[in-house]
Amino acid sequence: MGSQDNSALASNAFLTDKSAKVFVAGHRGLVGAAIVRKLTQLGFTNLILRSHAELDLTRQSDVEAFFASEKPEYVIVAAAKVGGIHANNTYPADFIGINLQIQTNVIDSAYRNGTKKLLFLGSSCIYPKFAPQPIPEDALLTGPLEPTNEWYAIAKIAGIKMCQAYRIQYKWDAISGMPTNLYGPHDNFHPENSHVLPALMRRFHEAKINGAKEVVVWGTGSPLREFLHVDDLADAVVFMMEKYSGLEHLNVGSGKEVTIKELAELMKEAVGFEGDLVWDTTKPDGTPRKLMDSSKLASIGWTPKISLRDGLVDTYKWYLENYKQ
Ligand SMILES: NC(=O)C1=CN([C@@H]2O[C@H](COP(=O)(O)OP(=O)(O)OC[C@H]3O[C@@H](n4cnc5c(N)ncnc54)[C@H](OP(=O)(O)O)[C@@H]3O)[C@@H](O)[C@H]2O)C=CC1
Ligand SMILES: C[C@H]1O[C@H](OP(=O)(O)OP(=O)(O)OC[C@H]2O[C@@H](n3cnc4c(=O)[nH]c(N)nc43)[C@H](O)[C@@H]2O)[C@@H](O)[C@@H](O)C1=O
């Protein structure tokens, strides 16, 4: 891809103008809210934010009208149909259709309305189920996907390719970041449709409050997952907006993995539940392992700061103070 790698598009100007218009799509979600917190801390004064109710990003004409009127200088795409293994497996049409619509509308309208730079967020599920570990960026499209999330993965791969195609054809500064499994404040704590970490936090908390003797955890407990606190991701997003401009997507991980059993034990301790774990092996394990190789991002100067243990304590504190069922 060397000759097409328009790294000369790099402007390193994102942090110099804090009054620039920045559209954070999906600002009420786990990731979008963390990016807004980070940009606000940094002194950005002109964030453009629209809730789903105010602007449905699947509606092409509404998105076009919004971009034509607001003309954001920078765009961060953190709006998506997102969920854990059960949601991905149960609603394949939503996961491919809604995500293709949102990202296509936003990326195309941003380009057509003069946005200087756009960052698209994908996910580590884009890689083949049995990719080499840790997974380098160039493992993309080298093998079959994990079946529980292939619909979502195909949409995310299309988003990466769309950014690359616009970069090549239009010399436009669109980049992509692939975060590992995330957690933190404003996560989705739905009992079935969420990811494992918020699901277990809520289940252990409710078991503790109700004096339950056991908590059910899905699968065998053997899959390995890499977790990153969303405040670290927001820091990486700002870093990439400032420092990175290239054709290739960049992995964003913590470099540390735990088994689901280890996660459940850590969660039990963080929440203070004293009963037993029961494994429901009728539920899918999903991909056995997906540790990403984030050395490219590290080589340009970004590394994470928040340990899983500290992040769990911080997130449980947020849950206790804020979560309303
Ligand atoms: N959570 C994770 O573990 C990971 C997340 N990512 C990526 O990060 C990004 C954000 O994920 P996350 O913050 O966890 O997801 P959330 O579900 O927490 O947030 C998604 C946001 O997108 C909004 N949204 C969804 N559909 C629409 C729509 N049609 N129009 C307008 N807004 C919409 C949601 O609004 P509403 O709730 O009102 O619908 C919500 O604010 C995604 O691209 C995801 O792939 C990547 C790796 C891991
Ligand atoms: C971010 C990522 O997220 C998803 O992939 P996943 O990593 O498989 O996601 P998960 O967090 O749902 O599960 C991780 C592991 O944990 C186990 N597990 C135990 N108990 C519960 C439980 O109660 N809920 C859930 N959800 N999982 C549980 C579960 O069986 C699995 O083995 C995709 O959406 C994918 O598209 C994607 O991008």
Short mmCIF file of all heavy atoms in Angstrom, two decimals, residues 82-89 95 122-126 146 148-150 152-153 156 179-182 190-200 203 216-225 227 260 263 279-280 283-287 290, ligand 2:
data_model
loop_
_atom_site.label_atom_id
_atom_site.label_comp_id
_atom_site.label_asym_id
_atom_site.label_seq_id
_atom_site.Cartn_x
_atom_site.Cartn_y
_atom_site.Cartn_z
N VAL A 82 -24.16 -1.15 18.66
CA VAL A 82 -23.12 -1.85 19.40
C VAL A 82 -23.76 -2.82 20.40
O VAL A 82 -24.82 -2.52 20.95
CB VAL A 82 -22.23 -0.82 20.17
CG1 VAL A 82 -21.17 -1.52 21.01
CG2 VAL A 82 -21.57 0.14 19.19
N GLY A 83 -23.10 -3.93 20.64
CA GLY A 83 -23.61 -4.85 21.65
C GLY A 83 -22.64 -6.00 21.86
O GLY A 83 -21.65 -6.13 21.14
N GLY A 84 -22.96 -6.83 22.83
CA GLY A 84 -22.12 -7.97 23.14
C GLY A 84 -22.42 -9.17 22.26
O GLY A 84 -23.14 -9.07 21.25
N ILE A 85 -21.90 -10.30 22.66
CA ILE A 85 -21.96 -11.52 21.84
C ILE A 85 -23.41 -11.93 21.56
O ILE A 85 -23.73 -12.32 20.43
CB ILE A 85 -21.14 -12.64 22.54
CG1 ILE A 85 -20.90 -13.82 21.62
CG2 ILE A 85 -21.77 -13.10 23.86
CD1 ILE A 85 -19.82 -14.77 22.13
N HIS A 86 -24.29 -11.84 22.55
CA HIS A 86 -25.68 -12.25 22.35
C HIS A 86 -26.39 -11.32 21.38
O HIS A 86 -27.09 -11.78 20.46
CB HIS A 86 -26.41 -12.29 23.70
CG HIS A 86 -27.87 -12.51 23.57
ND1 HIS A 86 -28.40 -13.75 23.31
CD2 HIS A 86 -28.93 -11.65 23.63
CE1 HIS A 86 -29.71 -13.65 23.22
NE2 HIS A 86 -30.06 -12.39 23.41
N ALA A 87 -26.22 -10.01 21.56
CA ALA A 87 -26.89 -9.04 20.67
C ALA A 87 -26.40 -9.20 19.24
O ALA A 87 -27.19 -9.23 18.28
CB ALA A 87 -26.63 -7.61 21.17
N ASN A 88 -25.09 -9.34 19.07
CA ASN A 88 -24.52 -9.51 17.72
C ASN A 88 -25.08 -10.75 17.03
O ASN A 88 -25.36 -10.75 15.85
CB ASN A 88 -23.00 -9.62 17.80
CG ASN A 88 -22.30 -8.29 17.70
OD1 ASN A 88 -21.93 -7.86 16.61
ND2 ASN A 88 -22.15 -7.60 18.81
N ASN A 89 -25.23 -11.81 17.83
CA ASN A 89 -25.66 -13.10 17.30
C ASN A 89 -27.16 -13.11 17.01
O ASN A 89 -27.62 -13.87 16.16
CB ASN A 89 -25.36 -14.16 18.37
CG ASN A 89 -24.96 -15.48 17.80
OD1 ASN A 89 -24.75 -15.59 16.59
ND2 ASN A 89 -24.88 -16.48 18.64
N PHE A 95 -27.05 -5.22 12.95
CA PHE A 95 -25.63 -4.93 13.11
C PHE A 95 -24.94 -4.63 11.78
O PHE A 95 -24.07 -3.77 11.72
CB PHE A 95 -24.92 -6.06 13.88
CG PHE A 95 -25.07 -5.88 15.36
CD1 PHE A 95 -26.20 -6.31 16.03
CD2 PHE A 95 -24.10 -5.19 16.09
CE1 PHE A 95 -26.37 -6.09 17.40
CE2 PHE A 95 -24.25 -4.96 17.46
CZ PHE A 95 -25.40 -5.41 18.11
N GLY A 122 -13.60 1.31 14.53
CA GLY A 122 -14.05 -0.06 14.27
C GLY A 122 -13.94 -0.86 15.54
O GLY A 122 -14.22 -0.35 16.63
N SER A 123 -13.48 -2.10 15.42
CA SER A 123 -13.41 -2.98 16.59
C SER A 123 -12.47 -4.14 16.29
O SER A 123 -12.28 -4.51 15.13
CB SER A 123 -14.82 -3.51 16.86
OG SER A 123 -14.76 -4.70 17.61
N SER A 124 -11.95 -4.76 17.34
CA SER A 124 -11.01 -5.88 17.15
C SER A 124 -11.68 -7.09 16.51
O SER A 124 -10.99 -8.01 16.06
CB SER A 124 -10.39 -6.28 18.49
OG SER A 124 -11.40 -6.63 19.41
N CYS A 125 -13.02 -7.10 16.44
CA CYS A 125 -13.70 -8.25 15.82
C CYS A 125 -13.56 -8.27 14.30
O CYS A 125 -14.01 -9.21 13.66
CB CYS A 125 -15.17 -8.27 16.20
SG CYS A 125 -16.09 -6.97 15.39
N ILE A 126 -12.92 -7.26 13.72
CA ILE A 126 -12.69 -7.26 12.26
C ILE A 126 -11.71 -8.36 11.84
O ILE A 126 -11.66 -8.72 10.66
CB ILE A 126 -12.11 -5.91 11.77
CG1 ILE A 126 -10.79 -5.60 12.49
CG2 ILE A 126 -13.14 -4.80 11.94
CD1 ILE A 126 -9.97 -4.52 11.87
N GLU A 146 -15.17 -14.58 13.10
CA GLU A 146 -15.92 -15.25 14.17
C GLU A 146 -17.42 -15.15 13.83
O GLU A 146 -17.94 -14.04 13.63
CB GLU A 146 -15.58 -14.53 15.49
CG GLU A 146 -16.60 -14.61 16.60
CD GLU A 146 -16.92 -16.04 17.05
OE1 GLU A 146 -16.04 -16.92 16.98
OE2 GLU A 146 -18.09 -16.26 17.44
N THR A 148 -20.22 -15.32 15.47
CA THR A 148 -21.17 -14.56 16.30
C THR A 148 -21.17 -13.07 15.98
O THR A 148 -22.11 -12.38 16.34
CB THR A 148 -20.87 -14.73 17.82
OG1 THR A 148 -19.51 -14.37 18.07
CG2 THR A 148 -21.14 -16.14 18.29
N ASN A 149 -20.10 -12.57 15.35
CA ASN A 149 -20.11 -11.13 15.07
C ASN A 149 -19.68 -10.77 13.65
O ASN A 149 -19.25 -9.65 13.39
CB ASN A 149 -19.30 -10.33 16.11
CG ASN A 149 -17.86 -10.78 16.18
OD1 ASN A 149 -17.25 -11.09 15.17
ND2 ASN A 149 -17.31 -10.82 17.37
N GLU A 150 -19.88 -11.71 12.71
CA GLU A 150 -19.38 -11.44 11.36
C GLU A 150 -20.13 -10.30 10.67
O GLU A 150 -19.56 -9.57 9.87
CB GLU A 150 -19.40 -12.69 10.49
CG GLU A 150 -20.76 -13.23 10.19
CD GLU A 150 -20.70 -14.44 9.23
OE1 GLU A 150 -20.13 -14.33 8.16
OE2 GLU A 150 -21.24 -15.49 9.61
N TYR A 152 -21.45 -7.51 12.03
CA TYR A 152 -20.88 -6.26 12.56
C TYR A 152 -19.46 -6.06 12.00
O TYR A 152 -19.09 -4.96 11.59
CB TYR A 152 -20.88 -6.41 14.08
CG TYR A 152 -20.29 -5.32 14.90
CD1 TYR A 152 -20.92 -4.09 15.06
CD2 TYR A 152 -19.11 -5.54 15.63
CE1 TYR A 152 -20.39 -3.12 15.89
CE2 TYR A 152 -18.59 -4.58 16.47
CZ TYR A 152 -19.23 -3.37 16.59
OH TYR A 152 -18.72 -2.41 17.43
N ALA A 153 -18.70 -7.15 11.98
CA ALA A 153 -17.32 -7.06 11.49
C ALA A 153 -17.27 -6.63 10.03
O ALA A 153 -16.43 -5.80 9.64
CB ALA A 153 -16.61 -8.40 11.68
N LYS A 156 -17.81 -2.97 9.82
CA LYS A 156 -16.63 -2.23 10.30
C LYS A 156 -15.49 -2.30 9.26
O LYS A 156 -14.78 -1.32 9.05
CB LYS A 156 -16.17 -2.78 11.65
CG LYS A 156 -17.15 -2.50 12.78
CD LYS A 156 -17.26 -1.01 13.04
CE LYS A 156 -18.13 -0.68 14.23
NZ LYS A 156 -18.27 0.77 14.44
N PRO A 179 -10.36 -0.23 18.33
CA PRO A 179 -10.20 -0.48 19.77
C PRO A 179 -10.47 -1.94 20.12
O PRO A 179 -11.28 -2.61 19.46
CB PRO A 179 -11.27 0.40 20.42
CG PRO A 179 -11.85 1.25 19.34
CD PRO A 179 -11.56 0.56 18.04
N THR A 180 -9.83 -2.40 21.18
CA THR A 180 -10.16 -3.69 21.77
C THR A 180 -11.44 -3.55 22.60
O THR A 180 -12.10 -2.50 22.57
CB THR A 180 -8.97 -4.16 22.65
OG1 THR A 180 -9.23 -5.47 23.08
CG2 THR A 180 -8.78 -3.25 23.86
N ASN A 181 -11.82 -4.57 23.38
CA ASN A 181 -13.03 -4.50 24.22
C ASN A 181 -12.88 -3.35 25.24
O ASN A 181 -11.89 -3.31 25.97
CB ASN A 181 -13.23 -5.81 24.97
CG ASN A 181 -13.60 -6.97 24.04
OD1 ASN A 181 -13.03 -7.10 22.96
ND2 ASN A 181 -14.54 -7.78 24.45
N LEU A 182 -13.89 -2.49 25.29
CA LEU A 182 -13.83 -1.28 26.11
C LEU A 182 -14.79 -1.37 27.29
O LEU A 182 -15.77 -2.14 27.24
CB LEU A 182 -14.20 -0.06 25.26
CG LEU A 182 -13.36 0.14 24.01
CD1 LEU A 182 -14.00 1.20 23.11
CD2 LEU A 182 -11.94 0.55 24.39
N HIS A 190 -27.20 -3.47 30.04
CA HIS A 190 -28.35 -4.34 29.76
C HIS A 190 -28.00 -5.79 30.13
O HIS A 190 -26.90 -6.26 29.82
CB HIS A 190 -28.71 -4.23 28.27
CG HIS A 190 -29.99 -4.90 27.91
ND1 HIS A 190 -30.08 -6.26 27.67
CD2 HIS A 190 -31.24 -4.42 27.77
CE1 HIS A 190 -31.33 -6.58 27.38
NE2 HIS A 190 -32.06 -5.47 27.44
N PRO A 191 -28.92 -6.54 30.75
CA PRO A 191 -28.58 -7.90 31.20
C PRO A 191 -28.19 -8.85 30.07
O PRO A 191 -27.33 -9.72 30.27
CB PRO A 191 -29.86 -8.40 31.88
CG PRO A 191 -30.81 -7.27 31.92
CD PRO A 191 -30.27 -6.12 31.13
N GLU A 192 -28.82 -8.74 28.90
CA GLU A 192 -28.48 -9.67 27.81
C GLU A 192 -27.67 -9.04 26.69
O GLU A 192 -26.80 -9.69 26.11
CB GLU A 192 -29.75 -10.25 27.15
CG GLU A 192 -30.43 -11.34 27.95
CD GLU A 192 -31.43 -10.76 28.92
OE1 GLU A 192 -32.09 -9.76 28.55
OE2 GLU A 192 -31.54 -11.26 30.06
N ASN A 193 -27.98 -7.79 26.34
CA ASN A 193 -27.40 -7.22 25.11
C ASN A 193 -26.06 -6.53 25.28
O ASN A 193 -25.44 -6.10 24.31
CB ASN A 193 -28.40 -6.24 24.48
CG ASN A 193 -29.62 -6.98 23.96
OD1 ASN A 193 -29.55 -8.16 23.65
ND2 ASN A 193 -30.75 -6.28 23.89
N SER A 194 -25.60 -6.39 26.53
CA SER A 194 -24.34 -5.67 26.79
C SER A 194 -23.13 -6.57 26.57
O SER A 194 -23.25 -7.77 26.31
CB SER A 194 -24.35 -5.17 28.22
OG SER A 194 -24.42 -6.28 29.08
N HIS A 195 -21.95 -5.98 26.75
CA HIS A 195 -20.70 -6.74 26.74
C HIS A 195 -20.48 -7.39 28.12
O HIS A 195 -21.16 -7.05 29.09
CB HIS A 195 -19.52 -5.81 26.42
CG HIS A 195 -19.53 -5.32 25.01
ND1 HIS A 195 -19.96 -4.07 24.66
CD2 HIS A 195 -19.19 -5.93 23.85
CE1 HIS A 195 -19.88 -3.92 23.35
NE2 HIS A 195 -19.41 -5.03 22.82
N VAL A 196 -19.50 -8.29 28.16
CA VAL A 196 -19.33 -9.10 29.38
C VAL A 196 -19.04 -8.25 30.61
O VAL A 196 -19.60 -8.52 31.69
CB VAL A 196 -18.22 -10.18 29.18
CG1 VAL A 196 -16.86 -9.59 28.84
CG2 VAL A 196 -18.12 -11.07 30.39
N LEU A 197 -18.21 -7.24 30.51
CA LEU A 197 -17.79 -6.53 31.73
C LEU A 197 -18.95 -5.79 32.41
O LEU A 197 -19.23 -6.03 33.60
CB LEU A 197 -16.59 -5.64 31.41
CG LEU A 197 -15.82 -5.11 32.61
CD1 LEU A 197 -14.35 -4.90 32.28
CD2 LEU A 197 -16.43 -3.85 33.17
N PRO A 198 -19.71 -4.96 31.67
CA PRO A 198 -20.85 -4.32 32.33
C PRO A 198 -21.94 -5.33 32.73
O PRO A 198 -22.61 -5.15 33.75
CB PRO A 198 -21.37 -3.33 31.29
CG PRO A 198 -20.81 -3.80 29.98
CD PRO A 198 -19.51 -4.44 30.31
N ALA A 199 -22.10 -6.41 31.94
CA ALA A 199 -23.12 -7.42 32.30
C ALA A 199 -22.78 -8.05 33.64
O ALA A 199 -23.65 -8.19 34.51
CB ALA A 199 -23.18 -8.50 31.21
N LEU A 200 -21.50 -8.40 33.82
CA LEU A 200 -21.12 -9.05 35.09
C LEU A 200 -21.16 -8.06 36.24
O LEU A 200 -21.53 -8.43 37.36
CB LEU A 200 -19.73 -9.68 34.97
CG LEU A 200 -19.61 -10.87 34.02
CD1 LEU A 200 -18.24 -11.51 34.13
CD2 LEU A 200 -20.70 -11.91 34.27
N ARG A 203 -24.74 -7.93 37.25
CA ARG A 203 -25.22 -9.20 37.80
C ARG A 203 -24.65 -9.45 39.20
O ARG A 203 -25.35 -9.87 40.11
CB ARG A 203 -24.87 -10.35 36.85
CG ARG A 203 -25.92 -11.44 36.88
CD ARG A 203 -25.68 -12.48 35.81
NE ARG A 203 -25.90 -11.95 34.48
CZ ARG A 203 -25.21 -12.31 33.40
NH1 ARG A 203 -24.23 -13.20 33.48
NH2 ARG A 203 -25.48 -11.79 32.23
N VAL A 216 -24.63 -16.53 37.58
CA VAL A 216 -24.41 -17.29 36.34
C VAL A 216 -23.52 -16.46 35.40
O VAL A 216 -23.76 -15.27 35.19
CB VAL A 216 -25.75 -17.61 35.66
CG1 VAL A 216 -25.53 -18.28 34.30
CG2 VAL A 216 -26.60 -18.49 36.56
N VAL A 217 -22.50 -17.10 34.87
CA VAL A 217 -21.60 -16.47 33.89
C VAL A 217 -21.65 -17.32 32.62
O VAL A 217 -21.72 -18.55 32.69
CB VAL A 217 -20.16 -16.38 34.44
CG1 VAL A 217 -19.29 -15.56 33.51
CG2 VAL A 217 -20.14 -15.79 35.84
N TRP A 218 -21.66 -16.66 31.46
CA TRP A 218 -21.85 -17.37 30.19
C TRP A 218 -20.58 -18.07 29.71
O TRP A 218 -19.47 -17.56 29.88
CB TRP A 218 -22.27 -16.41 29.09
CG TRP A 218 -23.56 -15.69 29.32
CD1 TRP A 218 -24.44 -15.86 30.36
CD2 TRP A 218 -24.12 -14.65 28.50
NE1 TRP A 218 -25.50 -15.00 30.23
CE2 TRP A 218 -25.34 -14.25 29.10
CE3 TRP A 218 -23.71 -14.03 27.32
CZ2 TRP A 218 -26.14 -13.25 28.55
CZ3 TRP A 218 -24.50 -13.04 26.77
CH2 TRP A 218 -25.71 -12.67 27.39
N GLY A 219 -20.80 -19.19 29.03
CA GLY A 219 -19.69 -19.87 28.33
C GLY A 219 -18.88 -20.73 29.29
O GLY A 219 -19.33 -21.10 30.38
N THR A 220 -17.63 -21.00 28.86
CA THR A 220 -16.77 -21.89 29.65
C THR A 220 -15.82 -21.11 30.57
O THR A 220 -15.18 -21.71 31.43
CB THR A 220 -15.88 -22.72 28.70
OG1 THR A 220 -15.07 -21.80 27.93
CG2 THR A 220 -16.71 -23.57 27.74
N GLY A 221 -15.68 -19.82 30.32
CA GLY A 221 -14.74 -19.02 31.12
C GLY A 221 -13.34 -19.02 30.54
O GLY A 221 -12.46 -18.28 30.99
N SER A 222 -13.10 -19.86 29.51
CA SER A 222 -11.73 -19.97 28.98
C SER A 222 -11.34 -18.90 27.94
O SER A 222 -10.15 -18.65 27.75
CB SER A 222 -11.50 -21.36 28.39
OG SER A 222 -12.34 -21.53 27.27
N PRO A 223 -12.32 -18.25 27.22
CA PRO A 223 -11.87 -17.26 26.23
C PRO A 223 -11.05 -16.14 26.87
O PRO A 223 -11.31 -15.75 28.02
CB PRO A 223 -13.18 -16.70 25.66
CG PRO A 223 -14.20 -17.72 25.94
CD PRO A 223 -13.79 -18.38 27.21
N LEU A 224 -10.09 -15.66 26.11
CA LEU A 224 -9.25 -14.55 26.57
C LEU A 224 -9.74 -13.25 25.94
O LEU A 224 -10.08 -13.23 24.75
CB LEU A 224 -7.80 -14.80 26.15
CG LEU A 224 -7.07 -15.87 26.96
CD1 LEU A 224 -5.98 -16.53 26.12
CD2 LEU A 224 -6.47 -15.24 28.22
N ARG A 225 -9.79 -12.20 26.72
CA ARG A 225 -10.15 -10.89 26.18
C ARG A 225 -9.19 -9.84 26.72
O ARG A 225 -8.69 -9.93 27.84
CB ARG A 225 -11.58 -10.49 26.58
CG ARG A 225 -12.68 -11.33 25.93
CD ARG A 225 -12.78 -11.09 24.42
NE ARG A 225 -13.88 -11.84 23.83
CZ ARG A 225 -13.79 -13.10 23.38
NH1 ARG A 225 -12.65 -13.76 23.45
NH2 ARG A 225 -14.85 -13.68 22.83
N PHE A 227 -8.94 -5.89 27.68
CA PHE A 227 -9.84 -4.78 28.03
C PHE A 227 -9.07 -3.47 28.14
O PHE A 227 -7.95 -3.43 28.64
CB PHE A 227 -10.53 -5.07 29.38
CG PHE A 227 -11.50 -6.22 29.30
CD1 PHE A 227 -11.11 -7.49 29.69
CD2 PHE A 227 -12.79 -6.04 28.80
CE1 PHE A 227 -12.00 -8.57 29.60
CE2 PHE A 227 -13.67 -7.10 28.69
CZ PHE A 227 -13.27 -8.37 29.10
N ILE A 260 -12.06 -15.02 30.77
CA ILE A 260 -13.35 -14.57 31.29
C ILE A 260 -13.49 -15.02 32.76
O ILE A 260 -14.05 -14.31 33.59
CB ILE A 260 -14.50 -15.08 30.40
CG1 ILE A 260 -14.39 -14.46 29.00
CG2 ILE A 260 -15.86 -14.78 31.03
CD1 ILE A 260 -14.38 -12.94 28.93
N LEU A 263 -11.63 -12.51 34.74
CA LEU A 263 -12.43 -11.28 34.80
C LEU A 263 -13.55 -11.41 35.84
O LEU A 263 -13.78 -10.49 36.64
CB LEU A 263 -13.03 -10.96 33.42
CG LEU A 263 -13.96 -9.74 33.44
CD1 LEU A 263 -13.18 -8.44 33.59
CD2 LEU A 263 -14.84 -9.70 32.18
N TRP A 279 -21.26 -21.68 35.64
CA TRP A 279 -21.00 -21.44 34.20
C TRP A 279 -22.12 -22.00 33.35
O TRP A 279 -22.42 -23.19 33.44
CB TRP A 279 -19.64 -22.05 33.81
CG TRP A 279 -18.55 -21.32 34.54
CD1 TRP A 279 -18.01 -21.66 35.75
CD2 TRP A 279 -17.96 -20.08 34.17
NE1 TRP A 279 -17.10 -20.71 36.14
CE2 TRP A 279 -17.04 -19.73 35.20
CE3 TRP A 279 -18.10 -19.23 33.07
CZ2 TRP A 279 -16.27 -18.56 35.14
CZ3 TRP A 279 -17.33 -18.06 33.02
CH2 TRP A 279 -16.44 -17.75 34.04
N ASP A 280 -22.72 -21.17 32.51
CA ASP A 280 -23.78 -21.60 31.58
C ASP A 280 -23.13 -21.89 30.23
O ASP A 280 -22.96 -20.99 29.39
CB ASP A 280 -24.84 -20.50 31.46
CG ASP A 280 -25.93 -20.88 30.46
OD1 ASP A 280 -25.83 -21.97 29.85
OD2 ASP A 280 -26.86 -20.08 30.27
N LYS A 283 -24.28 -21.04 26.48
CA LYS A 283 -24.03 -19.73 25.83
C LYS A 283 -22.70 -19.79 25.06
O LYS A 283 -21.77 -20.48 25.48
CB LYS A 283 -23.95 -18.63 26.89
CG LYS A 283 -25.27 -18.40 27.64
CD LYS A 283 -26.24 -17.64 26.77
CE LYS A 283 -27.38 -17.00 27.51
NZ LYS A 283 -28.19 -17.91 28.32
N PRO A 284 -22.61 -19.04 23.96
CA PRO A 284 -21.38 -19.13 23.14
C PRO A 284 -20.17 -18.47 23.80
O PRO A 284 -20.32 -17.49 24.51
CB PRO A 284 -21.77 -18.37 21.86
CG PRO A 284 -22.89 -17.47 22.25
CD PRO A 284 -23.61 -18.13 23.39
N ASP A 285 -19.01 -19.04 23.53
CA ASP A 285 -17.74 -18.46 23.99
C ASP A 285 -17.28 -17.34 23.05
O ASP A 285 -16.52 -16.46 23.45
CB ASP A 285 -16.64 -19.53 24.01
CG ASP A 285 -16.55 -20.24 25.35
OD1 ASP A 285 -17.11 -19.75 26.34
OD2 ASP A 285 -15.90 -21.31 25.38
N GLY A 286 -17.67 -17.46 21.79
CA GLY A 286 -17.14 -16.50 20.80
C GLY A 286 -15.71 -16.81 20.46
O GLY A 286 -15.25 -17.96 20.62
N THR A 287 -14.99 -15.81 19.99
CA THR A 287 -13.61 -16.05 19.55
C THR A 287 -12.75 -16.45 20.76
O THR A 287 -12.95 -15.92 21.85
CB THR A 287 -13.10 -14.79 18.81
OG1 THR A 287 -11.98 -15.14 18.04
CG2 THR A 287 -12.75 -13.68 19.73
N LYS A 290 -8.35 -12.69 21.32
CA LYS A 290 -8.15 -11.61 20.34
C LYS A 290 -7.32 -10.47 20.95
O LYS A 290 -7.79 -9.36 21.11
CB LYS A 290 -9.48 -11.11 19.76
CG LYS A 290 -10.57 -10.76 20.74
CD LYS A 290 -11.77 -10.17 19.99
CE LYS A 290 -12.96 -10.00 20.90
NZ LYS A 290 -14.09 -9.37 20.26
C1 LIG B 2 -16.18 -5.69 21.58
C2 LIG B 2 -16.62 -6.98 20.97
O1 LIG B 2 -17.72 -7.50 21.69
C3 LIG B 2 -18.34 -8.69 21.21
O2 LIG B 2 -17.47 -9.77 21.21
P1 LIG B 2 -17.04 -10.49 22.52
O3 LIG B 2 -15.68 -10.04 22.91
O4 LIG B 2 -17.20 -11.95 22.34
O5 LIG B 2 -18.08 -9.89 23.55
P2 LIG B 2 -18.74 -10.06 24.94
O6 LIG B 2 -18.20 -9.01 25.82
O7 LIG B 2 -20.21 -10.07 24.75
O8 LIG B 2 -18.32 -11.53 25.47
C4 LIG B 2 -17.02 -11.86 25.82
C5 LIG B 2 -16.97 -13.23 26.47
O9 LIG B 2 -17.59 -13.14 27.75
C6 LIG B 2 -18.52 -14.20 27.93
N1 LIG B 2 -19.54 -13.82 28.89
C7 LIG B 2 -19.70 -14.37 30.12
N2 LIG B 2 -20.76 -13.86 30.74
C8 LIG B 2 -21.28 -12.92 29.88
C9 LIG B 2 -22.39 -12.06 29.99
O10 LIG B 2 -23.11 -12.02 30.96
N3 LIG B 2 -22.59 -11.21 28.94
C10 LIG B 2 -21.78 -11.21 27.83
N4 LIG B 2 -22.05 -10.32 26.85
N5 LIG B 2 -20.74 -12.06 27.71
C11 LIG B 2 -20.50 -12.90 28.72
C12 LIG B 2 -19.02 -14.47 26.52
O11 LIG B 2 -19.62 -15.75 26.42
C13 LIG B 2 -17.73 -14.32 25.71
O12 LIG B 2 -16.98 -15.52 25.79
C14 LIG B 2 -18.84 -8.52 19.85
O13 LIG B 2 -19.94 -7.73 19.91
C15 LIG B 2 -17.81 -7.94 18.91
O14 LIG B 2 -18.43 -7.47 17.81
C16 LIG B 2 -16.95 -6.87 19.52
O15 LIG B 2 -16.45 -6.01 18.85
#
